[in-house]
Amino acid sequence: RRLRRALVSLAVLAAVASAACADPPDKEMQQAQGAIDAARAAGADQYARDEFTAAEDALKRAHDAVDQRDYRQALNDALDARERAQTAAKDT
C-alpha cells in the first residue's frame, strides 16, 4: 500500500514537472530582451561589451532552443541572458 502511494506520488510529480516545461518561456525571453535593450540604452554595448555580447548570445541560444522545442534549455538560456544583461548595465 505504501509502495502504491509512493508510485502515485512520483507519477503526479513527474506529470507536474513535465507540464512546467510544456510551453516556451515567452515571458522570460521578453524579460531578457527588455534587459538587453535597457543595457544597450545604458551604453553596455560599448562599456561592458563582453558581458553584453554574452547576454545577446544567451538570448539567441534561447531562441534556438525554442525552435528545437527544448523549452527547459530555452528557459535556462533566457534567465542567463537576463542576468548577464543586468550585469552589463550595472557595469557601465
Side-chain angles (χ1 to χ4, degrees):
R1 185 173 180 152
R2 273 187 170 167
L3 179 60
R4 181 180 169 96
R5 188 176 295 161
L7 289 175
V8 169
S9 296
L10 285 175
V12 169
L13 181 63
V16 169
S18 66
C21 292
D23 294 322
D26 293 328
K27 180 179 81 170
E28 290 81 0
M29 291 174 70
Q30 290 172 359
Q31 289 173 346
Q33 184 62 60
I36 288 171
D37 293 342
R40 183 180 289 113
D45 56 336
Q46 294 176 9
Y47 300 110
R49 185 179 310 248
D50 291 341
E51 195 70 13
F52 182 80
T53 301
E56 288 186 316
D57 291 344
L59 185 57
K60 183 184 180 317
R61 287 193 310 272
H63 284 287
D64 292 343
V66 167
D67 291 343
Q68 297 172 4
R69 299 198 190 314
D70 188 352
Y71 301 142
R72 186 177 309 248
Q73 185 61 49
L75 175 61
N76 289 337
D77 289 333
L79 294 174
D80 184 40
R82 183 181 68 192
E83 183 177 329
R84 288 179 178 274
Q86 290 171 342
T87 300
K90 289 176 189 172
D91 289 349
T92 57

